[in-house]
Amino acid sequence: MDLYDTLEEAIEAAREAFIESTDGEDDEPPAAQQFNLQKYVMLDGDIMWQAEFFAEEGASTECLPLRSAAAAQAIFAGDYDDIEIREEWLDENTLYEWDDDDFQLEPPLDTEEGKTAADEWDDDR
């Protein structure tokens, strides 16, 4: 699982991985039919992103499907507003780090780090 500090970095890495995975399959540039995204809040309060593109709709991964068809292709082509994507992200879909590589939908409030991350998350909103 590759996580990135910014949404833009996550989308760029997903674009590169998608191109690499479809390289040589066709003479035409690849067409993304699905864009998946996941937002993470780490124990230290940092926000990280993971993004993925797929050639077919319905691909299931750790990330949640956010856009499909023409909308996914537009993001793939760089025609997107990162502020709009952030605003549309549903907070209840954010995953919080509880331990190394252990993420859940609620922040861990039973540790000092978890309380700090939850406080920082609330301040950033």
Side-chain angles (χ1 to χ4, degrees), residues 4 13 22 25 30 68 70 73 87 95 104 110-111:
Y4 298 90
T22 58
E25 289 182 15
S68 62
Q73 184 60 35
E87 289 174 352
L95 291 176
Q104 299 188 25
D110 60 338
T111 65

Side-chain angles (χ1 to χ4, degrees), residues 11-73:
I11 292 172
E12 181 61 30
R15 181 182 300 115
E16 291 172 8
F18 180 71
I19 290 170
E20 186 176 303
S21 72
T22 58
D23 194 29
E25 289 182 15
D26 211 345
D27 291 338
E28 296 184 26
Q33 291 299 309
Q34 182 170 314
F35 172 68
N36 294 358
L37 186 66
Q38 185 61 58
K39 181 178 182 179
Y40 297 89
V41 177
M42 310 309 281
L43 280 175
D44 61 6
D46 287 349
I47 294 175
M48 305 291 281
W49 295 91
Q50 181 182 16
E52 300 169 311
F53 288 102
F54 293 98
E56 296 180 15
E57 290 184 46
S60 178
T61 65
E62 295 175 11
C63 299
L64 299 173
L66 191 66
R67 298 281 190 275
S68 62
Q73 184 60 35

Side-chain angles (χ1 to χ4, degrees), residues 116-125:
T116 302
D119 291 343
E120 289 178 15
W121 169 244
D122 287 337
D123 290 344
D124 290 343
R125 291 169 59 177

Side-chain angles (χ1 to χ4, degrees), residues 53-123:
F53 288 102
F54 293 98
E56 296 180 15
E57 290 184 46
S60 178
T61 65
E62 295 175 11
C63 299
L64 299 173
L66 191 66
R67 298 281 190 275
S68 62
Q73 184 60 35
I75 293 172
F76 180 78
D79 184 17
Y80 67 92
D81 181 355
D82 61 315
I83 295 171
E84 181 180 314
I85 292 174
R86 289 177 214 274
E87 289 174 352
E88 290 179 14
W89 181 258
L90 300 175
D91 289 338
E92 61 262 20
N93 291 332
T94 299
L95 291 176
Y96 297 85
E97 184 178 33
W98 281 61
D99 200 4
D100 290 337
D101 294 327
D102 179 26
F103 295 91
Q104 299 188 25
L105 290 171
E106 296 291 327
L109 300 177
D110 60 338
T111 65
E112 187 174 326
E113 292 89 355
K115 289 177 188 173
T116 302
D119 291 343
E120 289 178 15
W121 169 244
D122 287 337
D123 290 344

